[in-house]
Amino acid sequence: MGASRLERGRALLKALAAVLGAAFSVALISTAFFRWNLRGGSLLTPRFPLGDFVRSLPHHLVWWVPFMLLQASLIPLRAVQWQATLRRRIPFRERYHLVAIGAFVHNALPGKLGEVTRAFLLSRTERVPFVRCLGTVAVCKLLEFACLMLLVALSFLGPFAPTLARFRTELRVALSLCIGLVALVVLLAHWAAPLGSWLHRRHSLPRVDSFLSHVGEGLGTARSFRGLAKVFLFSIPPVLASATAYSLALQGIGVRGGLFAGAVVLGAISLGQAVPGVPAGLGIYYFVTSWAARELGASPESAAAFSALTHLGTVFSQVAVGTVSVVARKLRLKDLRKGGKLASEAVHHVAHEAVEPAVP
């Protein structure tokens, strides 16, 4: 009886969190189209005539199509990058399909668990511990973030520097976060496995020593400057492709010098959506992108179009490419919905057994 009541309580809390997250996301999305007046008067004031906004959308196709193509190119570019963190040679076709399926999960299903899903699928197909696979993906994402921060810093040296100066404080925070994360990963890469071995020799905390060993193996690329440099080099193409996509979009909506500001907007998006599983992720995207576009000089109407079309372009392109891989691998949607749960079970197995996990 007590266990059943506890389960119902947890289900209720999850449902409440989902409702609150959805409401907060809708409120954030609305900021692209409305002003919130919390000091009295009309609560919501349109930023522009919505009818004119809808009629103007076809004029943005000139930059929207190249934007989608560049976003679709991220999947093969990340498949190439991933091999730099893997100790075993994995065929490109295999890596491509797993990255594409992860992109599908990230954009088509709630939870933003695409990276977790691709790591789990690699652990299942290649019989590699899940935590080790997740570590390789984490190194990829971290080096992409570091590459992006460098590109953002370089953007402040271009002709658009006076306009970008208003983002200087945010850049300092992002750079500090990036340096801290790199330092943490390097420390884990060097010391997680030795600490696990020490615990194993003492026959204490066997579950923890197994987990630390797998973490150390997964982050192995970060043990040397050469390894980090190699992954950083392969991280440049996907970051450049995505930053170029946003630069073209900013230029397309009339932002003067927008070709130099795409990395800044991409950096703001990356920071806003850094934590997976946040239910308000879509709202954060609209809030950040519309605010950044307005700060860079776009009209409210153009800023809203920028938010809506870059979101739809990303989703359409990556879901379309990912669907091909989902069909090729004969996966079912219900299998992918379980991706987060199955990955959690894999983590639990690795943490509680001192053997290689047999993934279902």
Side-chain angles (χ1 to χ4, degrees), residues 43-67:
L43 180 62
L44 290 177
T45 303
R47 293 184 182 274
F48 44 81
L50 294 180
D52 293 343
F53 166 78
V54 173
R55 285 189 290 272
S56 70
L57 289 179
H59 300 293
H60 294 287
L61 287 175
V62 66
W63 62 261
W64 192 54
V65 173
F67 177 89

Side-chain angles (χ1 to χ4, degrees), residues 145-161 164-165 167-168 170-172 174-176 178-179 232 239 243 260-265 267-268:
F145 184 58
C147 182
L148 176 59
M149 290 302 102
L150 177 60
L151 189 58
V152 171
L154 292 176
S155 299
F156 281 75
L157 303 177
F160 210 39
L164 296 178
F167 296 98
R168 200 175 301 277
E170 290 82 356
L171 174 62
R172 291 194 186 100
L175 287 175
S176 300
C178 180
I179 293 171
F232 185 86
V239 171
F260 298 93
V264 176
V265 175

